Amino acid sequence: MKLRSLQAQGYRSLRAIDLDLSQVNLFVGENGVGKSNLYRALQLLQAAATGRLAEEIAAEGGMGSALWSGQRRKTEPARIILSAELLDDERAVTFRYRAEAGLRPPQAAVGFALEPQIKEEELSVETGHTPVAMMRRKGPAVFVRDESGRMVDYPERAMTSETALAMLGDAGHYPEIGTVRSLLERWRFFHGFRTDRDSPLRRPCLAITAPLLAEDGANLAAVFATLSVTREDTAELDAAVSDALGGARLMIPEPGETASFGLVLPEFPRRVFQPRELSDGQIRFLALAGALLSYRRPPLIALNEPEASLHPDMLAPLARLVAEASRDSQIWVVTHSEKLATEIAARASAQRWTVTREEGETRLVAGIASRNTRHS
């Protein structure tokens, strides 16, 4: 199942966007045009699935900071509205989910006065005919379609800070809702990696099999060990490291209580350089390789400015990693590097948007989707 479209309204510089998405999606623009807001809107959609939408908005400054601050029509509500279409190709089923967050009414009783509130939600399913609502929520009241096909009151009232998608997705009685929640929960977001000397990337980690890279990269050594020991195949990883790092070899020792890794550089063939000794670009590229070549790829991988700290010679190898990962995962790349966008588009079927900002509003211009040429 993949994300077919995304709509975001009233969020920061996103007054109203509506995107039809491809397998690989490239958002290219200068700093300050709202690229990160696009990335963040996607994260907030996932937060709705895990029940943390209000918490995430509050953590970035609350509704006063997150709401569109430009001119608004009198009939236009002061709300953040997120919606998406998710397509299951195998079953020819489309899921549509929408969530709206707003402010507490001025006349409401005192208490959590600045809390972002979930106002409305809806989840519908379409199988080629008219969409059928599976869940509706307005305020605290939640209505759900039961086994007999009737929309009924859910016995519990939703708190203002929680989403019905998370609440019902955990209930175990509503398979369609659970499917959408599970899919969004498995998306992975990589917003750069710390590369300072205390970075999790530079430390050994617990020796536990790791099918996916943690978003902070803390289990990178375990991801490499899982490929080496469990899959017994590091050919793609070895090729990527050699390609990007001038013929370097990744050393992955048998894990004991902890998992670790090192790098052998061609100019020092008898020495293994530990993660703490690697440059910012080297360690960051290894983290990106772990994110894109993990044992089990997530349904969607989002990268925010992955080119940061990378030498220009590393961009083509990174593009090859993205193209390889796109065989199994939908990819979302936010970048200001024209070179990286061009390299990815040369290797994978990609949709590109040029991101600009006019009068405070983020605008997107769709480019021509690239051909899937799979360059080496």
Side-chain angles (χ1 to χ4, degrees):
M1 191 189 303
K2 69 178 183 180
L3 180 64
R4 185 165 70 178
S5 70
L6 173 72
Q7 297 79 40
Q9 180 178 335
Y11 176 62
R12 294 193 176 273
S13 64
L14 309 182
R15 182 172 186 175
I17 64 158
D18 188 346
L19 300 173
D20 290 325
L21 299 167
S22 184
Q23 187 66 13
V24 178
N25 304 278
L26 307 172
F27 300 89
V28 188
E30 300 298 326
N31 289 330
V33 296
K35 300 189 308 298
S36 293
N37 292 340
L38 291 165
Y39 176 92
R40 184 66 178 144
L42 195 64
Q43 282 186 304
L44 291 179
L45 189 63
Q46 184 192 59
T50 58
R52 297 173 54 249
L53 177 57
E55 178 184 343
E56 289 289 326
I57 294 173
E60 60 179 69
M63 291 297 294
S65 175
L67 277 170
W68 161 253
S69 57
Q71 291 186 345
R72 186 181 293 111
R73 294 185 297 272
K74 291 183 179 180
T75 57
E76 190 176 353
R79 291 188 180 183
I80 295 171
I81 304 174
L82 303 168
S83 57
E85 287 187 341
L86 303 156
L87 176 63
D88 186 337
D89 279 322
E90 292 184 358
R91 296 188 294 163
V93 176
T94 298
F95 297 85
R96 293 187 176 91
Y97 174 69
R98 175 179 57 83
E100 299 189 16
L103 296 161
R104 180 181 292 273
Q107 68 274 17
V110 177
F112 296 98
L114 301 179
E115 175 189 61
Q117 295 195 328
I118 312 303
K119 300 291 189 179
E120 296 184 23
E121 288 177 85
E122 183 171 359
L123 176 67
S124 65
V125 175
E126 182 181 342
T127 57
H129 304 289
T130 303
V132 176
M134 306 305 297
M135 175 271 291
R136 287 197 182 102
R137 180 253 186 92
K138 193 169 182 63
V142 178
F143 304 89
V144 64
R145 197 168 297 279
D146 66 11
E147 294 179 353
S148 69
R150 296 182 300 115
M151 289 293 282
V152 299
D153 281 314
Y154 189 68
E156 291 186 48
R157 308 279 278 180
M159 297 183 70
T160 55
S161 63
E162 66 181 341
T163 58
L165 179 61
M167 185 171 69
L168 296 178
D170 281 340
H173 307 300
Y174 310 103
E176 294 85 1
I177 300 173
T179 294
V180 172
R181 184 194 191 282
S182 175
L183 173 73
L184 270 60
E185 188 177 33
R186 290 184 290 124
W187 289 355
R188 287 294 179 270
F189 296 85
F190 298 101
H191 181 66
F193 294 98
R194 281 181 52 195
T195 56
D196 59 273
R197 67 179 183 178
D198 295 322
S199 165
L201 300 174
R202 299 186 185 275
R203 297 197 299 264
C205 65
L206 293 176
I208 300 172
T209 52
L212 295 170
L213 184 69
E215 292 187 356
D216 65 354
N219 64 341
L220 179 60
V223 168
F224 289 158
T226 301
L227 293 173
S228 176
V229 175
T230 304
R231 179 175 286 172
E232 298 181 338
D233 182 4
T234 60
E236 290 179 351
L237 178 61
D238 293 338
V241 171
S242 177
D243 191 20
L245 305 181
R249 290 186 294 115
L250 188 64
M251 303 298 292
I252 308 172
E254 185 81 16
E257 289 186 2
T258 61
S260 62
F261 64 89
L263 203 62
V264 176
L265 304 178
E267 57 268 39
F268 301 103
R270 297 185 179 181
R271 184 180 170 198
V272 179
F273 287 80
Q274 300 304 309
R276 65 179 179 275
E277 301 177 276
L278 302 181
S279 71
D280 288 357
Q282 288 171 329
I283 197 72
R284 191 182 296 273
F285 184 87
L286 292 175
L288 289 166
L292 294 163
L293 296 179
S294 58
Y295 181 90
R296 182 179 298 124
R297 290 180 180 133
L300 184 146
I301 300 173
L303 306 174
N304 193 8
E305 298 189 358
E307 72 277 5
S309 297
L310 297 188
H311 189 278
D313 290 347
M314 296 181 184
L315 298 185
L318 175 57
R320 282 189 276 275
L321 287 178
V322 169
E324 177 59 35
S326 71
R327 296 180 182 181
D328 303 306
S329 302
Q330 195 171 12
I331 308 292
W332 177 293
V333 178
V334 170
T335 180
H336 54 66
S337 172
E338 289 283 349
K339 178 176 173 59
L340 177 59
T342 299
E343 294 283 1
I344 293 174
R347 293 168 173 81
S349 295
Q351 175 65 58
R352 172 188 166 131
W353 285 268
T354 299
V355 187
T356 61
R357 191 162 180 164
E358 299 177 26
E359 298 180 351
E361 180 180 351
T362 294
R363 305 281 179 88
L364 293 100
V365 178
I368 299 174
S370 69
R371 294 181 180 178
N372 186 2
T373 53
R374 295 287 181 191
H375 288 191
S376 61

